[in-house]
Amino acid sequence: MTEKHWLDYLAALGSIATPVLVLGLTAVGWRLRRRVERQLELEDKLREDRITIYNHILEPFIILLMTDAAWQHDKQNRGKDKTEIALGKMLSLEYRKVAFKLSLVGSDAVVLAYNDLFQHFYSQGDTPNASEENLKIMMGLLGKFLLEIRRSMGNEATQLNQWQMLEWFMTDARKWRDA
């Protein structure tokens, strides 16, 4: 009789515990799902801001790396020094504001790559080193920055490296890579 008594308690406990356990697991699952959905919504909202910020940040680099012929081909640029314009953009208050936004909404890897690139520029002081070795370092840092932007835009598993990120707009990117 005692044995049946324990089995009754165990069956009653199971009858009560099962719905409580299911309810608890459902609540945990709902919270996790809601958190993931919220994260995805936030990422979607940030994506457009990031694209705009990345475009502004990259504009001076695009100007600097254009060929002179391509620069002069545009009627608006005839007679203008592309280096002067690109550096003017980089030193402007607007550029600094956009860089500040980058530090707020960019992924950690993008911000670190941007920091590395600009720390390299700052280390040059007022007289930049124009050696081939220094140019190779700068190109590698720019490629790393572009690669991290690519990853932050949803291509986390990319197989490209920083030099391959430069090949489409630099005719001698492979030369610099192999130098």
Side-chain angles (χ1 to χ4, degrees):
M1 196 80 169
T2 317
E3 194 173 305
K4 186 175 182 194
H5 178 69
W6 282 105
L7 289 175
D8 289 341
Y9 283 126
L10 189 59
L13 184 62
S15 299
I16 294 171
T18 300
V20 170
L21 186 61
V22 168
L23 185 62
L25 290 174
T26 302
V28 169
W30 181 82
R31 286 194 59 146
L32 287 174
R33 179 176 165 230
R34 185 67 195 131
R35 183 181 299 162
V36 168
E37 286 175 353
R38 186 169 178 254
Q39 186 68 29
L40 290 174
E41 287 172 15
L42 181 60
E43 285 294 323
D44 284 343
K45 289 178 185 176
L46 284 176
R47 180 176 303 279
E48 289 303 316
D49 288 341
R50 285 179 177 167
I51 290 170
T52 302
I53 290 168
Y54 295 158
N55 283 334
H56 283 293
I57 291 292
L58 292 172
E59 184 179 7
F61 296 103
I62 293 167
I63 292 171
L64 282 172
L65 296 172
M66 283 179 86
T67 64
D68 290 333
W71 175 256
Q72 294 298 325
H73 183 69
D74 189 344
K75 291 177 184 178
Q76 294 176 335
N77 299 332
R78 288 195 182 134
K80 295 180 183 176
D81 181 16
K82 71 177 186 170
T83 303
E84 191 176 303
I85 294 199
L87 292 177
K89 286 181 179 282
M90 280 184 173
L91 296 173
S92 72
L93 177 61
E94 179 185 347
Y95 191 82
R96 293 294 183 165
K97 286 179 181 178
V98 173
F100 188 78
K101 288 179 184 177
L102 171 71
S103 70
L104 296 177
V105 300
S107 70
D108 290 353
V110 169
V111 173
L112 289 172
Y114 184 73
N115 290 346
D116 289 344
L117 179 61
F118 268 82
Q119 284 301 308
H120 178 73
F121 288 145
Y122 296 147
S123 71
Q124 302 296 305
D126 291 338
T127 54
N129 181 356
S131 71
E132 286 194 17
E133 182 61 31
N134 187 49
L135 190 55
K136 181 178 179 178
I137 292 169
M138 186 189 75
M139 292 287 94
L141 290 169
L142 178 60
K144 178 72 172 165
F145 180 50
L146 292 171
L147 185 60
E148 294 305 335
I149 288 174
R150 177 179 169 80
R151 287 184 176 137
S152 80
M153 296 307 296
N155 294 302
E156 296 91 4
T158 185
Q159 298 290 315
L160 299 176
N161 64 34
Q162 69 261 28
W163 293 104
Q164 291 167 327
M165 291 299 297
L166 300 173
E167 286 181 3
W168 71 271
F169 69 93
M170 284 185 59
T171 56
D172 52 357
R174 290 182 180 175
K175 180 190 104 174
W176 287 108
R177 177 193 67 201
D178 297 335

